[in-house]
Amino acid sequence: MKKLIAVLFLAFAVVCSAQSSLKPEFQAFSGALLKLKKAEKGYHKFRLTVDVNPWAFQADGEVQAPGGDGDALITGLFDGDVYAVLAYVPSTAAGSDGKEYQVGLFDMMLYFDDEPTKIRNLRFKLLPPANDEWAMGILKDALESGSLLGNVWGGKYDKAITKASADPMDKAKLRALQKKGNKKIDEDATINARKRRVEADEEEVAPKKKKKAAVEDDAAFNKRKRRVEAEEEPAPTKMKKKKKVSGDECDDPSLSVKEKRRCQLKNK
């Protein structure tokens, strides 16, 4: 008995801990995004599909209008009195397109004229580009964690639900989000193309600069080499030209013996 009490106490503590740490958020979607079939035994099969970032999911289930009126939801859908509110744990996963998507979905409620309906057999399915194994794992954890919170469609979450319901996501807002996302993709593509072009220009200019620098280096080296060689080579020595003396100059018959002697001594 004591062991059973201990187990129950532990389970209660785990639930309380999960409830205190989990903080669900809410997002409303217009009824114009819903597909609703005719009621069978009081329940309509419905489908909500949203595939614009940060959402990529499909929700299927069955819904019963307040009071069980089989025509009320169909009429309310055309009159704009029906909307959906998604409950999720903020958990993102990167899609194959590089964008972040909210995949921590765990519950949803359809409202008719601000009154909650009755939903059964609710199922969530993640859509591309956010449906890889990692995203599916986050969805599974969110479903398990969300179940510990019990019924979130009342009590302390009323204010958050009312705030979300005041501004539901409709087709026009989804188109605006999609247009904004496409514009960012185009801008990123333009920036990347410009970056690649600049890099290609730099790669083309770099060899020319390198070749020019090499030529300039070779010219400077040759200039220095010629200067060093010029400094090392000794200047040519000018030979003093010896005056050429004719061998017959001192034998001139007109000269006296004394003059011939002086001439010979001078030329020695």
Side-chain angles (χ1 to χ4, degrees):
M1 186 64 179
K2 289 182 179 180
K3 289 184 178 180
L4 178 61
I5 293 174
V7 171
L8 292 174
F9 180 79
L10 181 60
F12 179 75
V14 170
V15 171
C16 291
S17 176
Q19 290 178 336
S20 61
S21 60
L22 287 177
K23 292 182 179 180
E25 294 187 8
F26 301 88
Q27 174 64 55
F29 295 95
S30 168
L33 302 174
L34 284 167
K35 290 184 178 180
L36 202 65
K37 292 188 176 181
K38 290 183 178 180
E40 295 181 5
K41 297 182 181 180
Y43 278 87
H44 304 263
K45 288 184 178 180
F46 72 86
R47 172 171 290 178
L48 172 66
T49 303
V50 187
D51 56 359
V52 177
N53 179 263
W55 308 103
F57 71 91
Q58 176 180 296
D60 293 277
E62 299 175 5
V63 57
Q64 185 183 60
D69 187 342
D71 296 324
L73 288 180
I74 297 292
T75 303
L77 199 62
F78 286 103
D79 293 341
D81 294 328
V82 177
Y83 60 91
V85 178
L86 175 71
Y88 65 98
V89 178
S91 301
T92 59
S96 58
D97 58 354
K99 299 178 182 178
E100 292 291 322
Y101 290 84
Q102 289 286 354
V103 294
L105 325 175
F106 69 88
D107 205 353
M108 193 175 77
M109 176 59 69
L110 297 184
Y111 286 84
F112 169 64
D113 198 18
D114 295 333
E115 291 292 327
T117 60
K118 185 177 181 181
I119 291 181
R120 68 184 186 184
N121 300 326
L122 177 64
R123 300 177 305 278
F124 288 109
K125 177 183 177 182
L126 295 180
L127 303 175
N131 63 338
D132 62 6
E133 186 176 351
W134 176 258
M136 293 294 293
I138 296 176
L139 173 62
K140 183 180 179 181
D141 291 342
L143 290 170
E144 293 175 355
S145 300
S147 65
L148 298 176
L149 295 174
N151 183 17
V152 298
W153 306 110
K156 63 180 180 178
Y157 301 115
D158 276 345
K159 187 175 180 179
I161 294 170
T162 301
K163 184 177 179 181
S165 303
D167 187 25
M169 188 70 68
D170 57 17
K171 290 182 178 179
K173 292 177 181 176
L174 288 175
R175 282 196 297 270
L177 277 176
Q178 192 170 37
K179 185 176 180 181
K180 183 179 179 181
N182 292 338
K183 182 179 179 182
K184 188 176 187 305
I185 291 174
D186 292 340
E187 289 175 350
D188 290 345
T190 301
I191 291 172
N192 290 334
R194 189 182 297 118
K195 183 179 178 182
R196 288 193 297 269
R197 187 165 61 250
V198 170
E199 290 175 347
D201 291 343
E202 289 177 348
E203 289 177 359
E204 184 179 351
V205 170
K208 294 181 179 179
K209 288 184 175 179
K210 186 175 181 182
K211 185 177 180 180
K212 183 179 178 182
V215 171
E216 291 176 349
D217 290 344
D218 289 344
F221 174 77
N222 292 332
K223 186 177 180 181
R224 286 196 301 270
K225 182 179 179 183
R226 288 194 298 271
R227 188 168 63 248
V228 170
E229 290 175 348
E231 291 174 353
E232 291 178 349
E233 184 178 350
T237 305
K238 291 185 179 181
M239 299 297 291
K240 190 173 181 180
K241 191 174 181 180
K242 187 174 181 181
K243 186 177 180 182
K244 185 176 181 182
V245 181
S246 176
D248 298 331
E249 183 179 353
C250 297
D251 295 333
D252 190 350
S254 63
L255 296 177
S256 63
V257 176
K258 187 177 181 180
E259 287 175 340
K260 287 182 180 180
R261 175 68 62 181
R262 189 183 299 119
C263 178
Q264 291 173 355
L265 291 173
K266 181 181 178 181
N267 292 332
K268 282 184 180 182

